């Protein structure tokens, strides 16, 4: 399933930007925890098929895969690196601000607007139409706007006097307002019940800012053409290409909000086909990443996953280090820990083990001796997703693990075949106990041995019913073919960092904790995340002297939204009361 999702994401990015290689890199950089050659080839195949299909369909009737695909035939100059750095700083600031305020607005939405999805969508559409109607860059479609802003003026890019010197300052004003308004709309629309994404809107914001900066740089060149900074410009060739600034701004904004770098470089290269602009793109994205790391912000997708409480471990986080002594030295040398993303939630000075996080109160299944009535009662009275299989004696020897879905599936199939009763014994052992062999005929013995021999190779779905019918009787229900007899287990003394790596690299839903063969606990990803959250709050309070710049305004948007909601609620109540009095008259 994970490989399918990874390959599907590669195909989606490939057709969205006409970038098959960029889609593959996106699946590796953003979607997958570990690098797998098999997954990479599957992603490459899906991206290739998707791109070929889109090319055959030719949706825009232009021969291009996307509407805003452009080409550049002029080179850049070294003095422009200064302005490229400004674009990179904007991209980092944009990403940090949008992530921060969008999470605050998402908390407000969850608290007050969860039951008003349609109303919120209508209000957003109305505000977008009202503000967009008076701005030429908000009025047109975003993909069309990207194409207009990316194009060179000499190749037909003069949209509505965009390249005319006499209108350069009104254009700068319009581009600036479009950037500000669109940032606000992205903050309040991402996460709403409308198909408002984050890729193209972020690129549109970066493009308007970049084009605005390009026009300003071009105006400076026209005012001071003999300045030493413009000495590399040739008099008969245009020196500044504002379209490339829009192109770099789009890359910076996309990288700033998603926190991806290599993928954006390749996507932008495939959009333009200009090898000469790979180095400026890399410079811009490195500056963007540096600014984002300074504000200690993850991508908006990762932050929304954490906000919604999904069991997800970030592949770049190493929350608990194995060696406690190293943590102490690191804490002494770098007391604030700012800028070290891989250690940003270290618990200083001590190492945590599995025993501090694991669940000790468990719901288990006895390997034999349980009747169907007991199993169904345990299923009805619990909400856990699986049950460890233990020995019936006091030693609680761990013998396997069965998922809730698999167990319910077996019982439902067995009831359909009318082989079992409420007092039917259930066995979870790999082989039936010796005292129960006399309840099977010779065919059942052969089938049971065949099933036991083929457990390591998996079970064919088409053989499930036949296997259940041949290996079970009205007196005994054999569930062993659906039991994982070799679950992943760890010792309670194991450092938690190792368990996190197991979750990240192997992806199990649950890890059992055993000591000397006996079951002592169980740990899931949610347990780890819950422990991280509790220690994160403690660690954050202990770092009160190292508050970041963005955190100084913590709660500003929250308070503003709460006040606005209170005022609107009171005003609505007064209007309703006035309307009732008017009707009563």
């Amino acid at each position: 399933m994970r490989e399918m999702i990874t390959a599907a994401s590669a195909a989606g990015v490939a057709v969205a930007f006409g970038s098959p290689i960029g889609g593959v890199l996106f699946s590796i950089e953003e979607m997958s925890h570990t690098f797998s050659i098999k997954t990479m080839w599957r992603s490459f195949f899906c991206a290739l098929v998707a791109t070929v299909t889109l090319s055959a369909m030719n949706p825009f009737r232009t021969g291009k895969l996307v509407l805003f695909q452009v080409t550049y035939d002029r080179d850049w100059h070294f003095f422009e690196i200064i302005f490229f750095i400004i674009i990179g700083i904007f991209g980092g600031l944009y990403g940090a601000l949008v992530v921060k305020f969008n999470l605050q607005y998402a908390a407000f939405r969850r608290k007050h607007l969860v039951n008003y999805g349609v109303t919120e969508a209508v209000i957003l559409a109305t505000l977008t139409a009202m503000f967009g109607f008076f701005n030429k860059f908000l009025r047109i479609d975003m993909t069309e706007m990207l194409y207009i802003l990316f194009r060179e003026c000499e190749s037909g890019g003069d949209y509505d006097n965009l390249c005319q010197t006499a209108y350069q300052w009104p254009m700068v004003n319009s581009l600036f307002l479009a950037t500000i308004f669109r940032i606000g709309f992205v903050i309040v629309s991402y996460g709403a019940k409308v198909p408002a994404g984050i890729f193209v809107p972020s690129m549109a914001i970066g493009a308007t800012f970049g084009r605005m900066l390009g026009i300003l740089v071009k105006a400076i060149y026209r005012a001071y053409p003999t300045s030493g900074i413009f000495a590399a410009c040739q008099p008969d060739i245009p020196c500044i290409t504002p379209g490339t600034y829009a192109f770099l701004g789009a890359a910076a904004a996309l990288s700033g909000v998603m926190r991806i770098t290599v993928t954006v470089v390749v996507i932008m290269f495939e959009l333009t086909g200009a090898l000469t602009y790979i180095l400026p793109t890399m410079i811009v994205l490195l500056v963007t990443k540096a600014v984002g790391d300074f504000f200690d912000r993850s991508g908006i997708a990762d932050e929304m996953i954490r906000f919604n409480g999904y069991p997800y471990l970030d592949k770049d986080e190493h929350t608990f280090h194995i060696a406690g002594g190293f943590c102490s030295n690191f804490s002494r040398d770098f007391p604030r820990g700012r800028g070290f993303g891989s250690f940003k939630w270290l618990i200083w000075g001590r190492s945590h083990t599995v025993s501090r996080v694991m669940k000790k109160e468990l719901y288990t299944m006895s390997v034999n001796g349980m009747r169907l009535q007991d199993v169904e009662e345990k299923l009805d009275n619990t909400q856990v997703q699986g049950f460890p299989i233990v020995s019936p004696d006091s030693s609680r020897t761990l013998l396997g693990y069965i998922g809730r879905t698999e167990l319910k599936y077996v019982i439902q199939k067995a009831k359909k075949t009318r082989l079992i009763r409420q007092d039917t014994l259930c066995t979870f052992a790999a082989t039936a106990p010796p005292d129960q062999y006399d309840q099977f005929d010779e065919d059942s013995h052969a089938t049971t041995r065949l099933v036991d021999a083929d457990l390591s190779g998996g079970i064919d779905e088409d053989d499930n019913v036949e296997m259940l019918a041949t290996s079970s009787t009205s007196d005994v229900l054999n569930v062993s073919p659906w039991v994982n007899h070799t679950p992943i287990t760890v010792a309670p003394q194991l450092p938690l960092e190792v368990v996190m790596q197991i979750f990240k690299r192997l992806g199990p839903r649950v890890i059992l904790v055993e000591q000397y063969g006996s079951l002592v606990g169980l740990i899931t990803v949610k347990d780890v995340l819950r422990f991280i959250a509790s220690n994160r709050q403690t660690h954050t309070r202990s770092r009160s002297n190292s508050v970041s710049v963005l955190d100084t305004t913590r709660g500003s948007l929250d308070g503003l939204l709460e006040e606005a909601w209170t005022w609107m609620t009171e005003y609505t109540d007064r209007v309703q009361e006035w309307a009732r009095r008017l009707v009563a008259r």
Side-chain angles (χ1 to χ4, degrees):
M1 178 61 70
R2 296 180 182 179
E3 293 179 354
M4 292 178 61
I5 294 176
T6 302
S9 68
V13 173
V15 298
F17 298 100
S19 174
I21 305 301
V24 176
L25 289 178
F26 176 82
S27 67
I28 296 174
E29 184 177 3
E30 186 71 10
M31 296 296 295
S32 58
H33 283 280
T34 57
F35 179 78
S36 173
I37 296 295
K38 181 177 66 174
T39 305
M40 183 189 70
W41 279 111
R42 291 178 177 179
S43 302
F44 178 78
F45 179 76
C46 288
L48 176 63
V49 172
T51 307
V52 170
T53 303
L54 183 65
S55 178
M57 293 175 62
N58 192 17
F60 304 109
R61 300 297 184 266
T62 59
K64 298 180 179 180
L65 297 179
V66 291
L67 187 61
F68 48 88
Q69 186 175 357
V70 295
T71 56
Y72 297 115
D73 54 6
R74 286 201 296 268
D75 204 348
W76 56 281
H77 306 87
F78 276 98
F79 72 85
E80 294 181 280
I81 292 180
I82 301 174
F83 306 105
F84 296 161
I85 292 176
I86 296 175
I87 293 177
I89 294 173
F90 168 79
L93 292 174
Y94 163 76
L97 290 172
V98 167
V99 171
K100 174 182 173 62
F101 292 123
N102 178 258
L103 289 177
Q104 294 183 5
Y105 187 81
F108 173 80
R109 178 188 291 117
R110 174 181 291 180
K111 183 178 180 181
H112 298 291
L113 304 179
V114 66
N115 297 322
Y116 303 97
V118 176
T119 304
E120 182 186 9
V122 172
I123 293 175
L124 287 176
T126 304
L127 292 177
T128 303
M130 290 173 57
F131 284 94
F133 180 79
F134 300 99
N135 188 287
K136 63 182 69 178
F137 298 105
L138 295 176
R139 194 163 51 236
I140 58 179
D141 183 70
M142 279 188 289
T143 55
E144 182 182 357
M145 187 203 70
L146 286 173
Y147 179 66
I148 293 171
L149 296 180
F150 284 177
R151 293 184 65 183
E152 298 178 355
C153 291
E154 290 74 19
S155 59
D158 189 13
Y159 167 79
D160 200 6
N161 299 318
L162 179 61
C163 299
Q164 300 299 321
T165 305
Y167 296 94
Q168 62 183 4
W169 301 119
M171 287 296 168
V172 168
N173 181 53
S174 297
L175 290 168
F176 176 76
L177 292 177
T179 302
I180 299 300
F181 287 148
R182 188 155 275 149
I183 289 176
F185 286 133
V186 166
I187 290 174
V188 300
S189 64
Y190 184 73
K193 294 179 176 61
V194 292
I198 196 67
F199 273 60
V200 175
S202 295
M203 293 180 65
I205 291 170
T208 53
F209 176 83
R211 187 68 185 230
M212 179 188 68
L213 183 62
I215 294 175
L216 291 176
V217 175
K218 191 172 183 179
I220 295 174
Y221 169 70
R222 286 174 175 172
Y224 307 97
T226 59
S227 176
I229 193 175
F230 301 115
C233 298
Q234 299 181 11
D236 55 341
I237 298 178
C239 182
I240 305 298
T241 306
T244 60
Y245 287 76
F247 160 76
L248 295 174
L254 179 58
S255 176
V257 76
M258 294 297 298
R259 300 307 304 275
I260 52 179
T261 53
V262 180
T263 301
V264 177
V265 173
V266 176
I267 288 176
M268 291 303 173
F269 165 68
E270 291 187 277
L271 277 176
T272 61
L275 285 170
T276 55
Y277 282 93
I278 287 184
L279 181 58
T281 307
M282 294 174 65
I283 293 174
V284 168
L285 297 187
L286 285 177
V287 174
T288 300
K289 187 179 186 305
V291 174
D293 291 341
F294 176 78
F295 289 117
D296 203 20
R297 292 283 170 178
S298 301
I300 192 168
D302 295 337
E303 293 291 348
M304 289 302 294
I305 288 175
R306 295 191 188 97
F307 176 80
N308 291 317
Y310 298 143
Y312 171 77
L313 289 174
D314 191 351
K315 60 184 177 181
D316 294 328
E317 280 188 346
H318 301 277
T319 309
F320 305 95
H321 205 275
I322 299 174
F326 176 81
C327 292
S328 300
N329 295 335
F330 191 88
S331 177
R332 182 181 66 250
D333 297 336
F334 303 98
R336 298 196 178 197
R338 176 177 294 179
F340 296 87
S342 60
F343 297 96
K344 58 184 176 181
W345 296 118
L346 259 160
I347 308 303
W348 308 108
R350 62 180 185 270
S351 178
H352 297 283
T353 59
V354 175
S355 59
R356 295 196 57 182
V357 185
M358 68 181 185
K359 294 179 180 177
K360 299 180 181 180
E361 301 294 331
L362 304 178
Y363 298 98
T364 61
M365 294 287 182
S366 179
V367 67
N368 50 44
M370 296 187 67
R371 299 186 178 275
L372 179 62
Q373 181 179 359
D374 302 329
V375 175
E376 290 185 326
E377 183 179 353
K378 188 164 290 188
L379 285 172
D380 295 335
N381 296 334
T382 61
Q383 298 295 328
V384 294
Q385 299 301 314
F387 302 91
I389 309 300
V390 297
S391 60
D393 53 16
S394 59
S395 63
R396 289 169 57 90
T397 303
L398 180 62
L399 300 175
Y401 181 86
I402 186 169
R404 183 186 189 91
T405 304
E406 288 79 5
L407 185 56
K408 294 178 67 175
Y409 170 80
V410 174
I411 295 175
Q412 291 175 1
K413 289 295 182 181
K415 286 183 176 180
K416 287 183 179 180
T417 57
R418 298 180 180 179
L419 293 174
I420 59 175
R421 304 183 303 271
Q422 287 299 106
D423 59 345
T424 300
L425 289 175
C426 297
T427 177
F428 298 90
T431 56
D435 58 347
Q436 294 178 1
Y437 273 118
D438 56 354
Q439 301 175 6
F440 294 88
D441 55 15
E442 291 300 326
D443 294 337
S444 299
H445 279 298
T447 304
T448 303
R449 288 193 296 270
L450 177 62
V451 171
D452 294 335
D454 195 47
L455 277 177
S456 60
I459 303 172
D460 191 354
E461 181 68 22
D462 297 336
D463 298 334
N464 283 337
V465 178
E466 180 182 357
M467 182 186 306
L468 187 62
T470 56
S471 63
S472 302
T473 66
S474 59
D475 297 325
V476 178
L477 175 62
N478 185 13
V479 195
S480 62
W482 289 267
V483 175
N484 180 10
H485 297 283
T486 56
I488 298 177
T489 59
V490 296
Q493 298 83 12
L494 190 70
L496 198 56
E497 171 75 5
V498 180
V499 177
M500 292 180 64
Q501 292 300 323
I502 294 175
F503 276 121
K504 294 175 186 177
R505 298 181 183 276
L506 301 182
R509 294 184 178 181
V510 61
I511 296 178
L512 303 179
V513 184
E514 64 172 351
Q515 189 170 23
Y516 306 115
S518 299
L519 179 68
V520 295
L522 176 148
I523 185 171
T524 63
V525 176
K526 289 186 177 181
D527 298 328
V528 176
L529 292 176
R530 193 177 298 112
F531 186 73
I532 291 175
S534 61
N535 282 276
R536 178 183 298 177
Q537 295 174 359
T538 304
H539 182 56
T540 303
R541 287 194 295 268
S542 66
R543 296 176 59 217
S544 58
N545 295 329
S546 59
V547 180
S548 65
V549 175
L550 284 181
D551 288 337
T552 58
T553 61
R554 182 177 178 84
S556 57
L557 183 60
D558 303 63
L560 180 62
L561 291 174
E562 289 292 341
E563 291 182 5
W565 177 262
T566 303
W567 176 85
M568 186 175 65
T569 304
E570 294 177 353
Y571 183 77
T572 304
D573 293 340
R574 289 199 299 267
V575 171
Q576 291 178 352
E577 182 64 23
W578 176 81
R580 283 195 295 267
R581 292 178 180 177
L582 184 63
V583 172
R585 291 180 182 177

